[in-house]
Amino acid sequence: FPWVEAPPKAHMLDAMERLRQLQAITGDVDEEVLPLGAVLSQLPVDLAIGKLLICSTIFGLEDELMTIAAGLSIQSPFVRVDAGSSESTNRQQFVSEEGDPFTLLNVYDEWIRVKASKENSKKWSRRHGVEEQRLYEMTRLKDQFADLLKSAGLLQVETLTQVSVGRWRRKGSKY
C-alpha cells in the first residue's frame, strides 16, 4: 500500500533478515517465499508466535503451544512479590527448569484445574501471586488462535475437543 514516507532501509533489511531466520523466505538473491512463509502470511500475529502456532499443529501439541503462545502475547500474569513471601513460596511449585514459558504453562494448567474443581480461583490466584485477569486473557487468545489455525486450514474442527475452559485436547489423547 502507499506509504506516506518509506520506512528506513535498515528496518526493511532487519525485517528481511528476520524472515530468513524464521525460514519464511529463502536466503538467496531471489528471496522467494517458502511454504512456511506462505502460511505465516495468513496468520495476523507476530512471526515467532505464528511459527509456534504452526509447529503446534505439526507436532500435535496444540493445547500446550497455544497456551505458551498466548502467554507470550500478553503482559505477564505474575505480580511482583517479595522474595520469601508466601506468594513467592507458593509459586515455586510451578517453576520449570525448561524456562519461563513452561512455568507459565504450569501455572495456567493448575488454574484450569482449580476452575474445573470449583475452587475459588480468585483466592488461589492471590495465594500464588497471579493476576487472574491475565489468565482469562490467555484463554480468549487461545480461542482466537484456534480459530486462526482453523481458518488457515491447519487445524480441523474435529481434531480437537475443548475439555474445559481454555483446554484443547487432541481427540483420543489421554492427556
Side-chain angles (χ1 to χ4, degrees):
F1 63 64
W3 294 93
V4 174
E5 184 177 313
K9 186 169 178 100
H11 291 190
M12 294 296 290
L13 294 173
D14 288 345
M16 295 302 287
E17 181 58 30
R18 184 157 188 228
L19 290 170
R20 275 189 223 86
Q21 289 173 347
L22 289 170
Q23 299 176 345
I25 61 172
T26 60
D28 58 14
V29 177
D30 295 333
E31 295 175 334
E32 293 180 36
V33 177
L34 295 170
L36 176 62
V39 176
L40 280 172
S41 71
Q42 297 177 43
L43 302 176
V45 295
D46 176 79
L47 292 173
I49 297 295
K51 187 170 182 179
L52 184 61
L53 293 173
I54 292 167
C55 289
S56 77
T57 64
I58 293 169
F59 297 115
L61 297 169
E62 293 89 347
D63 179 56
E64 293 83 357
L65 293 180
M66 283 193 297
T67 300
I68 290 173
L72 295 173
S73 299
I74 64 163
Q75 186 177 347
S76 174
F78 299 111
V79 296
R80 178 172 259 143
V81 294
D82 294 329
S85 68
S86 62
E87 294 91 350
S88 176
T89 303
N90 291 340
R91 192 186 292 169
Q92 288 303 310
Q93 65 186 311
F94 305 117
V95 173
S96 171
E97 292 180 9
E98 283 79 29
D100 291 344
F102 292 96
T103 297
L104 186 56
L105 177 64
N106 292 339
V107 167
Y108 185 84
D109 283 347
E110 182 62 18
W111 177 72
I112 290 296
R113 190 201 62 74
V114 166
K115 298 284 292 174
S117 70
K118 307 292 188 213
E119 290 179 47
N120 187 324
S121 61
K122 288 184 185 199
K123 286 183 181 179
W124 178 90
S125 297
R126 279 194 300 273
R127 267 195 325 272
H128 293 88
V130 175
E131 195 171 328
E132 188 174 28
Q133 183 59 35
R134 300 285 179 245
L135 300 174
Y136 280 113
E137 289 175 27
M138 286 175 63
T139 301
R140 286 189 295 275
L141 265 176
K142 285 180 66 176
D143 286 341
Q144 290 175 9
F145 289 157
D147 290 341
L148 286 173
L149 292 172
K150 288 174 193 171
S151 66
L154 296 173
L155 190 62
Q156 302 302 316
V157 176
E158 60 276 357
T159 303
L160 295 181
T161 182
Q162 192 166 17
V163 292
S164 66
V165 175
R167 297 301 295 170
W168 292 92
R169 291 283 187 237
R170 184 171 286 282
K171 285 191 178 175
S173 171
K174 62 182 176 181
Y175 299 107

